[in-house]
Amino acid sequence: MCYSRLLLFTCCIVLWFAAPAMATPPFGDPNQPYDRIPGTLKTSHTPWARPLHGGKLKGLFICPYNNSREVVELAQRLDVDYTVIMNAAHSAWSVGYSEGDRATPLQGPEARNVLDMLARRRLSLGHRYDVIVIAKVSWLVIPEHIRELILAHVNRGTGLVYVTPNRMKQGWNKTALAEDNDPEFTKLFEQPANDTTFQRVTTGIPLVIMPLKVLRRLDDYRPLPKPRHQWQQASLYISSSQHGQGRILGIDYLDEAIAKRTNSSLSPSYQHPLGDHDEVIYDFSHALLARGILWATDRISPQAISVSISRSAKDIPSFTDEAVTSGKKWRSNQPNVIVERDAFPDFPVIIKVPLESKPTRVVATLRQRLSWMRDNVKGGPSSAADASQPELLPSRLIQQTQLSPDANGHATLSLPMLARGVYLLDVQTLDAGDGVIDFASTSFFVHDDQRVIEVKTDKDHYQDGNAIRGTVVVAEALAAGQSVLITANDTWGRLVHTSTTKPAGPKSFEFEITVKQPLSELWDVHAWIVDDRGVIDRKTLPVPILNNSFDEYLFMLIFAPTPGRSNWKGALHARQLRKYGINSAYVYLIYAQHELYFHNAREHLRNVVYAEHAGEVVTPSDNVRDFSVEETEYDLAEVSRMVRRVAETGKKLDPEEFPYRMGHFTAQWINGKIDDYKLAARFGSPFYTLTGENYLLGEFKGLENSGFAPTATRRFQEWCRQQFKNDLTALNREWNSDFKRWEDIRGIMLKEAVERDQLPRWVDFRYFMRSRVFSQFFIDWTDMVRRFIPDARTGRVGHDHHDFTRYRRHMASSKLYIGQEEFSEWRHALTVELPQSFGNDEGFLMAPQSMIRWQHDLETRTNRQRWPWMVLMQGLDGFDWERGLNAPTLGGEHCFTPDYSEPLPYFSDISNEVLQIQRGIGKLTMQAKPERPRVAMLWAPYNHYISRCLPFEDNSFSGTWMYNISVVGGAVSDALSMMNSIQIRPTMVGPEDIKSGELQRRGFKVLLLPYNKGMSIEEANAIREFADAGGLVIADNSPATHSQHGRRLKKPLLSDLFRPIDKDKASSVTAIGKGHAALVNVINDYTDRLEKDDFHGANVMANLLAEHANIRPTIRIEDSDGRPRRDTLVRIHRSGSTTIVGLLRAQTPKAEHPARSTLRLMEGQHIWDARTQTYLGMTDALKISLDQQPRLLVLMPSNPGAMTLSTSASTLIRGSSLAVKGSVSFAGNADVESIDQALHIRVFDSDDKELEWFRQNLIFRGHQFQFELPISLSAEPGRYRVVAEHAITGSRSETVFDVTEK
Amino acid sequence: MITMCRYITIVALLLPTQDQASTKSAKEKLIVDDSFEKWDWIPIAFGQRKEGRQRLKEGRTLPFEHRGPLLRISKGFILPSGRMVDGKEAFKGKSSQLQDTQVGLHGRYSSIIKPNGRFRYEVALKGKGTFSFRAWVGAKNKTSGQFRWMGFPDLIKIKTSDKWKVYRGNFTLPDLNRPGFQLPDKVSAAIVVNRDDVIFVDEFRVWEVAD
C-alpha cells in the first residue's frame, strides 16, 4: 500500500473510531448552532446605556450555551461589543447532556477540545477587554488554566463581574456545593461591597418592585427547605474586591441551585407561579447588570441621578397580588412610594442630575408598569392605550420629556392625569452624541380609594354566538361623574366590544357581551371606572372562547421552552418558531398547569393536552422491581372501576365507598382530576393524551407480573366464564388445569405456566390483562373525561401495547412512534394503520420529531423535505418538534442559533414544507377520506402472546427488540408492506368483526391472514362462510394451527381451506364454494426485501387479488417497461370528486437515480402537482420522473382556472362584518359542483402588513365560495386588501375594501 | 511377567492422568465453580430468537432447552449454558449437555484469566467430540486506543470419551503480547463445543494458582 493510501486508510480508521464521540452535525457545520451568536434579533428592552457615553465597551462573557441569548439581551441595553465563550452548564464546563452517539450536542473529546481551543484563544492576553462577565458558571468547573487567564486579565485592569458567584460541584445535572472552603474565592467574590459601591450599582434600579430580597450580609441568607422550588424568589447580595488593577463585582442572586430551571444565567431566577415572562423585571435585571459592569469598568458616573416624588400623607394599606395564592410562596413586590390620584394632573416630580458629568440632554420617560399579563387595551377609554408605542419598549409609554435642569441640576417634571396603578419614571442623562452618561429609574403607585374589586362572568367559557353575562364590583359607590365601562379585546389586540354597564346595586354593575365571529381563543374583558379626568382604575378578566376545530396541519412544540413555563425563553421560542409554522404546544394538564392554556392562547398556539401518564408504573422504582413474584397489590382493574363510576354518574367518588389506593390513584386524587377536567374544558384540544411510555408491570421486559389483585382476578374469572361459555371442563382441557370452581380461577406467571405446561392459561391471562384491564382502563378513563369535556378525543403517546380492536371510539388519537429512521413509511406503517383502521380514520394522529439526535429525517435536505409530506400522506395531522435549548448541552438540540437570530438550514428545509402544507393543501388532505379498497387484514391481538410462545417460528406477530410493546416488524407488518407495495391499502379488522359478519356488511372481498396461528372456532367458521360466499382468503404462517388460547391443535381449523404447500412454491389456491382460499409463502421478510429493491412475492399477491377478487389499484404506477413499480408508497385520499395522490418513493439503493415512470388512472383527469402548483396536463397516463422527492398530485375532472373575488360592500364601518364571495372558472363541461378545493386567504393593511388574524384556509366545493371577515371596533381606517390563493393551482385573486370610523 | 506388570503398574501410577500434570499449590483461588445443579427459566431475548431462527433454518440444533418464551439456563449464567440433563445421563445430580455452542463468554467467564497467571482445572466430561475452554484475547493500541484481537487460544482442549471421566490439568495463557499493545488485566473465556460434537459437562472448576 503506498504512503498516501496508508495515510488515508489511517485517517479513515481514526475517524471511524472517533466518529461516535463527535456531535452530528460537528462543530463548524452550518447545522450546528454551537458558538454562533449573530445578535440580530431584537426583543423588548429599554436601551438604558446604549449608546454609551465614552464609547462601546469590549466584553468577554462566559455563559452556558443554552442561555447565551442573555448576552444579546444585555447588549441591547448596554453598549458592549461582546465575545462569548459558551460552556455546557452552570455546573459543568464541557460535559453537558447528550443522548446517544448521534446526539446533536458536542460531546466527548470534541466538546473538550473545541471548548478549550475557543476559551484559550479568546482569553489570550493578546486581547484586551474592558470587562469579563461570568454567567453563574461555577468557579470550580472552570479549568484552572482558564481561571488563571481570567485573573491575569483582571490583574492588568479588566473588570470582572461574576453573576451569582458559586462553587457548585462538577456535573451538568448537579447543584450540590463544594463542602470545602476556598479562601481565594471568598476573598475575590464574597466580600461585601461597601456602601458607596452598593449605592452606585443599585441606585437607579427600582429594586422594591423586583422579586429580590436584598441582603447586605451573606450570612443573612436563609434558604427555604429543600428542594428549592423554582417559585422561590432570588436574593441580591453585592460583593466587591480588587485584584491587581482590576475591579471585581459580584451580583449574587444566591440562585445557583435553581437557575438552570429558570434559564437564568445573567438575570436572577424568576418564575412567577402563574407563568408569563415579566418583561419589566427582566429589563431591570439587565439594567442592574449594566450598572455593575459600568462600575467594574470604572465608567459609572460618581454622582447619582435622584428623583423625588412626594408621598401621600394618607395611610394606605399594603396590597398583595390577589391572583397568586399563598401556597405558592410568592411575595408580590409593589412600590413603596404611593401618590394619591387626586394629586394629578400636573403632579410635580423633582429630578436632580449631577452636573459634573456635563449632560447635554436629560430625558425623562414615564411608563405605566403593566401587570404580569400582557396589556391588551387598544380602543379602551384610556387615551394612553391608543398612543403609538415604541415597538420594543417594555410597559406602556405615557410620555417622554426633555428636561432642562437649572444651574443646580434640578428639573421639575409635571406628570399628567394617571389612572390607578404602578408607574416607572426613567431618567437618562445624555452627552452631545446621545451617549448615555447615567440612568436611573424609580417606581411609584397611584392610589385611589375607588377601584374595581372584581369582574366575574356567569360561565367560565363561551362559544361563538353565546352572550357573556357578567358583573363588576367596585370598592365604593360611584361618585358624580364616575361610570363603569366594559371593553373586550381579543389576543390580537383588536377591540371586539365596548359598552356601558347597568347598575345592579350601589357597587355592582352588570354587562353583556355577544361573542360574534371570534378570532382568538381568549378575550380580555376589561372593566373600567372612569370619570371626567380619565380612567380611575381597570381590572381585566381573561375569558376563554372555546374553539374545538382542529382541521389544520399541526406543528407542535413538545418538551420545549414554551410560554408560561420557561421564563424569558418560553415566549421567545414560541414567537420565533411561529414564523416557521409552529402553531401549537403541549399543555401540561397532568401537572394542573391551567395557566398554560392562557399563555398559549395569547401566543396564538393551539393547545394539545398532556392529560395523564397512566399505567401500572406509578413510581420510577416500579421499573426495576422484582418481576419474578406475583403483584397482588396493584389493581388497575379496581382503579378502572372507580373511574367507570365517575363516568356513569358524573359525580365525585366517596372515598369511603372507594378506599382503594394504587400509588397516587385514590378516590381523592380522581376527584381532583375532575376539577382539572372541568377547567380544561374551557379550551379545545385535538386530543387528550392519557398515557405515554407506561405499561403493565414488567411488560416492557416481557416479565409481566400483575393481574393477581382482587378486582382483576374477579374480572378474569368473569371473562373466562364468558370465553368458555360457562364450561369449566373446556377451560381445563384448554389449559391443562383442574379447576373445580370458577371462583378458584386466577392468572399465572410465565415461569409457572412453563413449568406446569399451562401456556394457554398464560396466553389467556396476559391477553385479558392487555385487552380487558389495560385497554379497558383507558376506555373507562375516556368516558370519565367526556363527562366534563364533551366529545373529547383521547389517545396515547408512544408504544403499541394496547388492544386496538377495542379503540373504535376511544383512544383512537395518538402521537405515534414512527419516523426518525430510514424506510419509516414502510417499517412503521402498522403503527399508523391500526388506530386509523379501528378508529375509522377519525382520530387525530401525530408523528414525533426531535432535535436531540441527528437522525435519518434530519440528515439530508431530501429527507427533511420528505418528512412533513410523509406525515401528511400517511393520514396524520401533523408532527411535534421536541426540545430547543431546554437542557444544559454544549451545542445542538436547537433549530436556531442559540440567540434565536437565525434559523439553521435544516430547520428552514423542514419549515418551508410545513408552511406550504399549511397554505390549504394540508387542510384539504386532512379532511379527505382515504381510499380503502375492499381488502381486510385480520389482526387478532391474542396472537401476540401465542407468538411469544413460539420464539423460533419463521416470522413472528411483531418483530424488533421491542416486540413486547411494539407492532413494528413481524408478519403483519410485512403483509402491510407488501400491500402498500402493490398499492392496495387494506383495512385492519379484529376477531369481533369476523365473528359478527362485519366483513360482509362492509363489503370486503378479500381477507388477509398474515399471522393468525391462534384462531377460535367461531372465527374459523366465519372465515369459511366468507370464502364460501365468494370472498378470497389469503393466509401465510400456518393459520389456525392453535386455538385462540394458544393450544396447538391436532388439526388446523382451516385445513379444508389451506392445504400445505411446498416451501419452494409461492402459493396454492383452493376453490371454496363461490370463493377461494390461497396459502402463500411470500409475505415473510417482505419489508427487508423491499429495502433492497427485491420485491419477490408482490406480483403473487397482486395476481391473486386481481384474479380471484377483481381487486386492482385504482391508480397504478409503472416503470419505464410498463411493469408495476413496487417501491413507491401511493396514498389516495378523496374529497368529493377531487383525488389527492401522495407518492413517496422508498429510499432503496436504486432510488439514488430518478426513474421514468407512468401514473395510470382509471380515466383522464386534470392533474396538478400541488407541491409546486404546476399543471401537469389532462391525461390518464402521466409520465413522471420519480426521484426521492415527495409528490402530492391533485386530480380533478375539470380544470380550475382563474378566480374572482367580490365584497358585500366596498366601505365598511368599524365593528361590521365583510362578506367576501368568489368564484373559480373551470374549463370543460364536466360537473364541477363536486370538486373540492382549498383557498388560502390573507388580508393586508394599507402598509402592506399582513393582518394575521384573518389568515385562514377555506375548503369549498364547486365553483363558488364565500367567507366573512369581522372588522374590529379598533380597525384603523384605511384601505385593506384581501388575497385569496388557490391551494392547488396557486392562482390568486385580490379585492380591496375600505374601513371608516363611522 | 509379574515384574513387567509391577513395572507397568508403578509407571502407570506415576504417569499424569492427562497430558499435563496437575499440581496443587498452597494458595489457590477458585475462579470457576460450575456444578450445573440449579437451573432456572428466563425469557428468550430478542437476539436469541433471531439467532435461533437462523440456526434452525441452517439445520442446526438450538443450544438450549426452551418452552414457550423461556429458556432453561444454569444459575449463574446470563446467556444459554446448554441443556440440563439429569438421571442416568448426568454425572452427578444435574449436568449440562453442550452442542454447537459457546458458553460463558459474557458474564460467567468474563474477565477471569490473568495473562500471566497460572491455572489448574478439573472437569467431568463425556460425549462425542472435543471440549475446549478458549480464551478471547484482545488488546488496545497504547497510542490510538484502537482495539485488536490478539488470538483465541484453547486453554483446555480435551477429546472426550463416551463415558464420564474427570479430567485435571494446568494451563497458562500463551504469550500474545505484541509491541505497542496493552493486554487487559484479565481476559474472558468460554467453553466451546463444535457443531457436530455433543459434550456433557459437570463439576467444572478452575483455580488461579498463586506463586
Side-chain angles (χ1 to χ4, degrees), chain A residues 107 140 330 352 374 401 446 507 646 687 932 1026 1224 1256:
Chain A
Q107 51 181 334
L140 270 189
W330 190 262
K352 183 179 186 313
R374 174 121 352 146
T401 314
V446 174
K507 298 183 194 175
V646 177
F687 69 99
R932 286 188 175 278
F1026 173 77
V1224 178
Q1256 58 185 289

Side-chain angles (χ1 to χ4, degrees), chain A residues 193-205 216 238 291 295 300 302 304:
Chain A
N194 61 33
D195 287 345
T196 306
T197 302
F198 182 85
Q199 293 302 330
R200 284 317 291 122
V201 171
T202 61
T203 298
I205 306 293
R216 292 294 284 126
I238 304 289
R291 294 192 72 82
W295 179 86
I300 203 160

